[in-house]
Amino acid sequence: EAKAQGRNRFRFFAAAMQAMVQQRMTLETGLRTAIDNDRFEIVYQPQNALAGGELVGAEALLRWRDPVLGEIPPGRFIPAAEEAGLIVTLSEHVLTKVLSRIALWRRQGFVPPRISINIVAQQLREPHFVEHLCELLESRGVPPAAICLELTEGTLMEDLDGASQMLSRLTERGIAVSIDDFGTGYSSLAYLGRLPIHELKVDQSFVRGIASEASKRSIIAAIIDMAHALGMQVLAEGIETEDQLAFLKERHCEMGQGYLFHRPLSAEAFERLFVPCGGLPPCAAAPAARVV
Ligand code: C2E
Ligand code: MG
Ligand code: MG
Ligand code: MG
C-alpha cells in the first residue's frame, strides 16, 4: 500500500519534472528563434520631471510576443535567457535596437530625451564592454549623454571592485548610470558614496506603500535625502496615484515613471511626445523640440 503510494508520488514528480524541463526547452528554443528573427520589440516608458511635468527621459523595456508561445513577460524570459546562456546575446540585441532607434530619431531631426537601458551583470563582465558600447554609440553618431545605463544593486555588489572601475570608465566617457530597484537588494552604503552614480531609482514596492505604510514613507524620504547628500538625483518608479505623486514632490524627488504618467509606449507612440503638436496631426509647424 505505502509502497504503491510512494511509486505514484514518484511518477507524479517525474512527470512534473519532465513538464518543467520541456517548458524550459520550449522557451529556450523560442528565445533563440526570436533573436534570430528579430521578434522582440522595444517599448519606451516616459520619465517625467515631478515639479514641472516635462518629459525628461524614457526607459527602454523589452517585449516578446511569440507566434506560438504568446506574450511572455520579461520577468519570465530574462531569467530563462540567463539560465540558457543567451542573456548577453539578447542584451546585445536590445542595445543595438535602442541605439539604432535613437540614431533614426536624430536623423529625423528629433532630440529624444535620455533613454535608459537595463544592463545585466553578465554584460559588465564582458572584457571590453565599455569600449564596445562606445563603438556602438560612435558608429551611429549617438552622443554618450543620449543614454543612461540602469544597473541593479545586485549587479554592482556582486563584484564591487570590478563594477567600480567600470562605472569610472563609463563616467569618463560621459555615460550616466542609474541604480535600478533601489532599496530591494543589498547595498553597501559605505560604497555608494564612492561610486560615480548619477541617479537612484526608488523601487516600486516603496512607492506602492506610500498610502498605507508609514515605514515605506520614511524609507523613501531617507533614500531621497541620502541620494541628494551624495549628489545623486532620484527617480521614483511605479507612480500610479496622485497621492503618491504629491508625497514624492513634497519630498523633492526629481523624476518619476509610472502608469499615472504613461504606460510603456511603442516607439511610434513615444515619438509623438517629442513635439508639442497641439493635438493637430500631422506636425506641420516647426516644433520646439526639433533641431533647426
Ligand atoms: P524594471 O527595470 O524595474 O522595469 C520597470 C517595470 O515596471 C516594467 O515592467 C514596467 O512596465 C513596470 N512599471 C512601470 N510603471 C509601472 C506602474 O505604474 N505600475 C506597475 N505595476 N508597474 C509599472 P516590465 O516591462 O514587465 O519589466 C520588468 C523587468 O524586466 C524590468 O524591471 C527589468 O528588470 C526587466 N527588463 C525589461 N526589459 C529589459 C531589457 O531590455 N533588458 C534587461 N536586462 N532587463 C529587462
Ligand atoms: Mg529598469
Ligand atoms: Mg526598476
Ligand atoms: Mg523593477
Side-chain angles (χ1 to χ4, degrees):
E1 176 79 1
K3 221 174 182 176
Q5 228 176 34
R7 225 175 1 246
N8 277 337
R9 206 167 285 155
F10 174 75
R11 282 205 195 101
F12 173 76
F13 281 128
M17 282 290 281
Q18 206 193 350
M20 261 172 59
V21 170
Q22 192 67 49
Q23 231 182 24
R24 178 153 307 164
M25 277 173 53
T26 310
L27 205 55
E28 249 189 70
T29 313
L31 271 169
R32 284 180 211 278
T33 316
I35 295 173
D36 291 343
N37 296 287
D38 195 14
R39 278 190 196 140
F40 288 97
E41 192 200 346
I42 309 284
V43 290
Y44 296 85
Q45 185 173 35
Q47 300 171 329
N48 294 77
L50 297 190
E54 68 273 20
L55 181 72
V56 292
E59 177 174 11
L61 294 160
L62 196 52
R63 291 291 175 268
W64 178 25
R65 188 192 298 275
D66 190 85
V68 181
L69 305 171
E71 172 103 39
I72 301 154
R76 251 191 87 205
F77 68 75
I78 301 274
E82 283 178 23
E83 279 173 43
L86 289 169
I87 191 65
V88 172
T89 310
L90 182 59
S91 303
E92 180 70 17
H93 190 69
V94 172
L95 211 49
T96 313
K97 265 176 105 85
V98 174
L99 295 184
S100 300
R101 176 61 75 168
I102 297 174
L104 174 65
W105 280 325
R106 293 172 60 86
R107 282 201 303 279
Q108 293 171 335
F110 293 118
V111 184
R114 181 196 75 167
I115 307 293
S116 293
I117 305 168
N118 291 286
I119 299 293
V120 294
Q122 288 91 331
Q123 275 173 290
L124 290 188
R125 273 191 236 118
E126 294 284 292
H128 301 291
F129 175 71
V130 179
E131 290 74 17
H132 175 63
L133 178 60
C134 289
E135 273 166 29
L136 287 179
L137 286 165
E138 228 163 84
S139 66
R140 286 167 179 76
V142 175
I147 62 166
C148 171
L149 303 186
E150 289 192 10
L151 311 174
T152 63
E153 290 168 298
T155 297
L156 288 179
M157 298 303 148
E158 205 171 280
D159 170 18
L160 204 44
D161 291 335
S164 172
Q165 283 179 28
M166 185 76 70
L167 294 190
S168 301
R169 279 157 64 208
L170 286 167
T171 306
E172 276 164 26
R173 314 271 191 132
I175 300 169
V177 173
S178 172
I179 303 196
D180 202 358
D181 304 341
F182 189 79
T184 59
Y186 158 81
S187 283
S188 163
L189 294 185
Y191 272 93
L192 209 54
R194 285 201 242 148
L195 297 174
I197 295 159
H198 305 79
E199 177 185 282
L200 289 190
K201 283 188 90 171
V202 178
D203 191 65
Q204 322 193 354
S205 55
F206 298 106
V207 175
R208 213 172 295 133
I210 286 176
S212 55
E213 293 169 65
S215 66
K216 295 274 165 79
R217 287 194 294 276
S218 304
I219 292 171
I220 294 187
I223 290 176
I224 294 172
D225 289 346
M226 180 198 66
H228 289 166
L230 296 173
M232 303 175 200
Q233 294 208 309
V234 185
L235 189 150
E237 305 192 273
I239 304 176
E240 295 184 353
T241 71
E242 292 288 350
D243 288 347
Q244 292 167 349
L245 175 61
F247 174 82
L248 290 161
K249 269 165 92 165
E250 194 184 306
R251 294 294 165 171
H252 306 293
C253 175
E254 282 91 0
M255 295 163 286
Q257 178 185 338
Y259 298 166
L260 181 64
F261 299 108
H262 297 280
R263 299 245 164 191
L265 305 171
S266 69
E268 292 73 21
F270 175 54
E271 177 184 297
R272 277 179 229 130
L273 302 179
F274 294 174
V275 285
C277 294
L280 294 171
C283 270
R290 284 210 178 197
V291 179
V292 194

mmCIF file of all heavy atoms in Angstrom, residues 48-51 200 202 220 224 228 233-237 239 245 247-256:
data_model
loop_
_atom_site.group_PDB
_atom_site.id
_atom_site.type_symbol
_atom_site.label_atom_id
_atom_site.label_comp_id
_atom_site.label_asym_id
_atom_site.label_seq_id
_atom_site.Cartn_x
_atom_site.Cartn_y
_atom_site.Cartn_z
ATOM 1 N N ASN A 48 9.149 61.562 -16.313
ATOM 2 C CA ASN A 48 8.786 62.971 -16.247
ATOM 3 C C ASN A 48 9.359 63.654 -15.021
ATOM 4 O O ASN A 48 9.557 63.010 -13.983
ATOM 5 C CB ASN A 48 7.259 63.113 -16.229
ATOM 6 C CG ASN A 48 6.633 62.664 -17.533
ATOM 7 O OD1 ASN A 48 6.493 61.468 -17.795
ATOM 8 N ND2 ASN A 48 6.275 63.612 -18.365
ATOM 9 N N ALA A 49 9.622 64.952 -15.169
ATOM 10 C CA ALA A 49 10.011 65.756 -14.011
ATOM 11 C C ALA A 49 8.769 65.888 -13.138
ATOM 12 O O ALA A 49 7.671 66.102 -13.656
ATOM 13 C CB ALA A 49 10.497 67.121 -14.454
ATOM 14 N N LEU A 50 8.926 65.731 -11.824
ATOM 15 C CA LEU A 50 7.747 65.784 -10.959
ATOM 16 C C LEU A 50 7.269 67.218 -10.738
ATOM 17 O O LEU A 50 6.070 67.471 -10.678
ATOM 18 C CB LEU A 50 8.032 65.099 -9.620
ATOM 19 C CG LEU A 50 8.347 63.597 -9.689
ATOM 20 C CD1 LEU A 50 8.352 63.003 -8.291
ATOM 21 C CD2 LEU A 50 7.363 62.848 -10.579
ATOM 22 N N ALA A 51 8.201 68.158 -10.662
ATOM 23 C CA ALA A 51 7.806 69.543 -10.395
ATOM 24 C C ALA A 51 7.054 70.151 -11.573
ATOM 25 O O ALA A 51 5.963 70.684 -11.401
ATOM 26 C CB ALA A 51 9.033 70.363 -10.045
ATOM 27 N N LEU A 200 19.391 57.437 -8.462
ATOM 28 C CA LEU A 200 18.822 56.270 -7.793
ATOM 29 C C LEU A 200 17.375 56.136 -8.246
ATOM 30 O O LEU A 200 16.628 57.110 -8.269
ATOM 31 C CB LEU A 200 18.833 56.447 -6.270
ATOM 32 C CG LEU A 200 20.164 56.406 -5.536
ATOM 33 C CD1 LEU A 200 19.910 56.362 -4.023
ATOM 34 C CD2 LEU A 200 20.982 55.188 -5.944
ATOM 35 N N VAL A 202 14.056 54.655 -7.043
ATOM 36 C CA VAL A 202 13.370 54.080 -5.884
ATOM 37 C C VAL A 202 12.447 52.983 -6.383
ATOM 38 O O VAL A 202 11.636 53.204 -7.287
ATOM 39 C CB VAL A 202 12.545 55.145 -5.140
ATOM 40 C CG1 VAL A 202 11.795 54.531 -3.977
ATOM 41 C CG2 VAL A 202 13.440 56.275 -4.679
ATOM 42 N N ILE A 220 11.458 55.998 1.862
ATOM 43 C CA ILE A 220 11.583 56.832 0.661
ATOM 44 C C ILE A 220 12.221 58.176 0.999
ATOM 45 O O ILE A 220 13.138 58.635 0.322
ATOM 46 C CB ILE A 220 10.199 57.082 0.002
ATOM 47 C CG1 ILE A 220 9.642 55.768 -0.543
ATOM 48 C CG2 ILE A 220 10.320 58.113 -1.122
ATOM 49 C CD1 ILE A 220 8.375 55.952 -1.358
ATOM 50 N N ILE A 224 15.759 59.535 -0.524
ATOM 51 C CA ILE A 224 15.865 60.790 -1.284
ATOM 52 C C ILE A 224 16.916 61.710 -0.655
ATOM 53 O O ILE A 224 17.788 62.236 -1.346
ATOM 54 C CB ILE A 224 14.497 61.508 -1.360
ATOM 55 C CG1 ILE A 224 13.506 60.677 -2.182
ATOM 56 C CG2 ILE A 224 14.651 62.907 -1.971
ATOM 57 C CD1 ILE A 224 12.069 61.194 -2.164
ATOM 58 N N HIS A 228 20.477 62.857 -2.380
ATOM 59 C CA HIS A 228 20.810 64.265 -2.582
ATOM 60 C C HIS A 228 22.112 64.633 -1.890
ATOM 61 O O HIS A 228 22.934 65.354 -2.439
ATOM 62 C CB HIS A 228 19.665 65.156 -2.097
ATOM 63 C CG HIS A 228 18.457 65.081 -2.991
ATOM 64 N ND1 HIS A 228 17.221 65.563 -2.638
ATOM 65 C CD2 HIS A 228 18.310 64.570 -4.246
ATOM 66 C CE1 HIS A 228 16.368 65.359 -3.636
ATOM 67 N NE2 HIS A 228 16.998 64.752 -4.604
ATOM 68 N N GLN A 233 20.528 62.262 -8.283
ATOM 69 C CA GLN A 233 19.122 62.588 -8.468
ATOM 70 C C GLN A 233 18.288 61.346 -8.170
ATOM 71 O O GLN A 233 18.801 60.223 -8.175
ATOM 72 C CB GLN A 233 18.892 63.036 -9.897
ATOM 73 C CG GLN A 233 19.596 64.350 -10.209
ATOM 74 C CD GLN A 233 18.874 65.111 -11.278
ATOM 75 O OE1 GLN A 233 18.568 64.576 -12.340
ATOM 76 N NE2 GLN A 233 18.590 66.364 -11.011
ATOM 77 N N VAL A 234 17.004 61.560 -7.928
ATOM 78 C CA VAL A 234 16.133 60.436 -7.598
ATOM 79 C C VAL A 234 14.973 60.340 -8.578
ATOM 80 O O VAL A 234 14.354 61.343 -8.929
ATOM 81 C CB VAL A 234 15.580 60.560 -6.158
ATOM 82 C CG1 VAL A 234 14.781 59.323 -5.780
ATOM 83 C CG2 VAL A 234 16.711 60.797 -5.178
ATOM 84 N N LEU A 235 14.726 59.127 -9.029
ATOM 85 C CA LEU A 235 13.582 58.844 -9.888
ATOM 86 C C LEU A 235 12.743 57.765 -9.218
ATOM 87 O O LEU A 235 13.268 56.728 -8.812
ATOM 88 C CB LEU A 235 14.074 58.377 -11.269
ATOM 89 C CG LEU A 235 13.009 58.243 -12.365
ATOM 90 C CD1 LEU A 235 13.635 58.524 -13.735
ATOM 91 C CD2 LEU A 235 12.361 56.872 -12.387
ATOM 92 N N ALA A 236 11.463 58.023 -9.033
ATOM 93 C CA ALA A 236 10.588 57.035 -8.402
ATOM 94 C C ALA A 236 9.860 56.236 -9.479
ATOM 95 O O ALA A 236 9.325 56.807 -10.424
ATOM 96 C CB ALA A 236 9.587 57.735 -7.488
ATOM 97 N N GLU A 237 9.873 54.911 -9.305
ATOM 98 C CA GLU A 237 9.227 54.021 -10.285
ATOM 99 C C GLU A 237 7.828 53.653 -9.835
ATOM 100 O O GLU A 237 7.560 53.566 -8.640
ATOM 101 C CB GLU A 237 9.914 52.659 -10.329
ATOM 102 C CG GLU A 237 11.336 52.583 -10.582
ATOM 103 C CD GLU A 237 11.704 51.118 -10.875
ATOM 104 O OE1 GLU A 237 11.976 50.344 -9.943
ATOM 105 O OE2 GLU A 237 11.712 50.784 -12.062
ATOM 106 N N ILE A 239 4.768 55.037 -10.206
ATOM 107 C CA ILE A 239 3.813 56.006 -9.661
ATOM 108 C C ILE A 239 2.458 55.793 -10.338
ATOM 109 O O ILE A 239 2.349 55.879 -11.555
ATOM 110 C CB ILE A 239 4.287 57.458 -9.882
ATOM 111 C CG1 ILE A 239 5.678 57.663 -9.276
ATOM 112 C CG2 ILE A 239 3.279 58.450 -9.297
ATOM 113 C CD1 ILE A 239 6.272 59.036 -9.534
ATOM 114 N N LEU A 245 2.234 60.796 -6.079
ATOM 115 C CA LEU A 245 2.933 61.910 -6.737
ATOM 116 C C LEU A 245 3.110 63.083 -5.777
ATOM 117 O O LEU A 245 4.199 63.656 -5.672
ATOM 118 C CB LEU A 245 2.152 62.343 -7.987
ATOM 119 C CG LEU A 245 2.678 63.570 -8.723
ATOM 120 C CD1 LEU A 245 4.098 63.340 -9.227
ATOM 121 C CD2 LEU A 245 1.761 63.932 -9.892
ATOM 122 N N PHE A 247 3.171 63.132 -2.507
ATOM 123 C CA PHE A 247 4.161 62.826 -1.469
ATOM 124 C C PHE A 247 5.582 62.968 -2.010
ATOM 125 O O PHE A 247 6.453 63.580 -1.392
ATOM 126 C CB PHE A 247 3.932 61.408 -0.920
ATOM 127 C CG PHE A 247 4.993 60.970 0.055
ATOM 128 C CD1 PHE A 247 4.934 61.354 1.387
ATOM 129 C CD2 PHE A 247 6.063 60.188 -0.371
ATOM 130 C CE1 PHE A 247 5.923 60.966 2.279
ATOM 131 C CE2 PHE A 247 7.064 59.797 0.520
ATOM 132 C CZ PHE A 247 6.985 60.190 1.851
ATOM 133 N N LEU A 248 5.820 62.405 -3.180
ATOM 134 C CA LEU A 248 7.168 62.417 -3.761
ATOM 135 C C LEU A 248 7.622 63.838 -4.114
ATOM 136 O O LEU A 248 8.782 64.187 -3.924
ATOM 137 C CB LEU A 248 7.202 61.518 -5.005
ATOM 138 C CG LEU A 248 7.081 60.022 -4.705
ATOM 139 C CD1 LEU A 248 6.670 59.236 -5.941
ATOM 140 C CD2 LEU A 248 8.400 59.485 -4.145
ATOM 141 N N LYS A 249 6.685 64.645 -4.585
ATOM 142 C CA LYS A 249 7.009 66.039 -4.905
ATOM 143 C C LYS A 249 7.391 66.798 -3.648
ATOM 144 O O LYS A 249 8.361 67.545 -3.628
ATOM 145 C CB LYS A 249 5.788 66.724 -5.548
ATOM 146 C CG LYS A 249 5.763 66.622 -7.054
ATOM 147 C CD LYS A 249 4.397 66.965 -7.595
ATOM 148 C CE LYS A 249 4.252 68.434 -7.958
ATOM 149 N NZ LYS A 249 3.035 68.613 -8.808
ATOM 150 N N GLU A 250 6.598 66.563 -2.612
ATOM 151 C CA GLU A 250 6.834 67.228 -1.342
ATOM 152 C C GLU A 250 8.209 66.871 -0.783
ATOM 153 O O GLU A 250 8.859 67.663 -0.119
ATOM 154 C CB GLU A 250 5.735 66.777 -0.383
ATOM 155 C CG GLU A 250 5.576 67.563 0.880
ATOM 156 C CD GLU A 250 4.504 66.910 1.746
ATOM 157 O OE1 GLU A 250 3.377 66.697 1.229
ATOM 158 O OE2 GLU A 250 4.801 66.581 2.898
ATOM 159 N N ARG A 251 8.632 65.632 -1.074
ATOM 160 C CA ARG A 251 9.943 65.167 -0.606
ATOM 161 C C ARG A 251 11.075 65.535 -1.554
ATOM 162 O O ARG A 251 12.195 65.055 -1.420
ATOM 163 C CB ARG A 251 9.917 63.641 -0.418
ATOM 164 C CG ARG A 251 8.999 63.184 0.681
ATOM 165 C CD ARG A 251 9.512 63.664 2.007
ATOM 166 N NE ARG A 251 8.493 63.557 3.035
ATOM 167 C CZ ARG A 251 8.747 63.754 4.325
ATOM 168 N NH1 ARG A 251 9.957 64.032 4.723
ATOM 169 N NH2 ARG A 251 7.785 63.654 5.194
ATOM 170 N N HIS A 252 10.772 66.283 -2.586
ATOM 171 C CA HIS A 252 11.768 66.761 -3.552
ATOM 172 C C HIS A 252 12.391 65.667 -4.404
ATOM 173 O O HIS A 252 13.564 65.745 -4.782
ATOM 174 C CB HIS A 252 12.870 67.582 -2.860
ATOM 175 C CG HIS A 252 12.340 68.709 -2.040
ATOM 176 N ND1 HIS A 252 11.711 69.796 -2.596
ATOM 177 C CD2 HIS A 252 12.284 68.866 -0.689
ATOM 178 C CE1 HIS A 252 11.307 70.607 -1.624
ATOM 179 N NE2 HIS A 252 11.635 70.058 -0.454
ATOM 180 N N CYS A 253 11.634 64.641 -4.660
ATOM 181 C CA CYS A 253 12.071 63.629 -5.630
ATOM 182 C C CYS A 253 11.980 64.294 -7.013
ATOM 183 O O CYS A 253 10.972 64.902 -7.343
ATOM 184 C CB CYS A 253 11.134 62.427 -5.555
ATOM 185 S SG CYS A 253 11.448 61.159 -6.780
ATOM 186 N N GLU A 254 13.041 64.205 -7.804
ATOM 187 C CA GLU A 254 13.100 64.965 -9.062
ATOM 188 C C GLU A 254 12.231 64.402 -10.179
ATOM 189 O O GLU A 254 11.598 65.138 -10.919
ATOM 190 C CB GLU A 254 14.546 65.021 -9.590
ATOM 191 C CG GLU A 254 15.435 66.017 -8.893
ATOM 192 C CD GLU A 254 16.162 65.408 -7.717
ATOM 193 O OE1 GLU A 254 15.966 64.203 -7.441
ATOM 194 O OE2 GLU A 254 16.922 66.141 -7.057
ATOM 195 N N MET A 255 12.258 63.064 -10.327
ATOM 196 C CA MET A 255 11.635 62.480 -11.517
ATOM 197 C C MET A 255 10.791 61.264 -11.176
ATOM 198 O O MET A 255 10.955 60.661 -10.116
ATOM 199 C CB MET A 255 12.725 62.047 -12.502
ATOM 200 C CG MET A 255 13.534 63.182 -13.078
ATOM 201 S SD MET A 255 15.060 62.569 -13.799
ATOM 202 C CE MET A 255 16.031 62.174 -12.365
ATOM 203 N N GLY A 256 9.920 60.905 -12.104
ATOM 204 C CA GLY A 256 9.093 59.735 -11.880
ATOM 205 C C GLY A 256 8.701 59.050 -13.164
ATOM 206 O O GLY A 256 8.815 59.607 -14.263
#
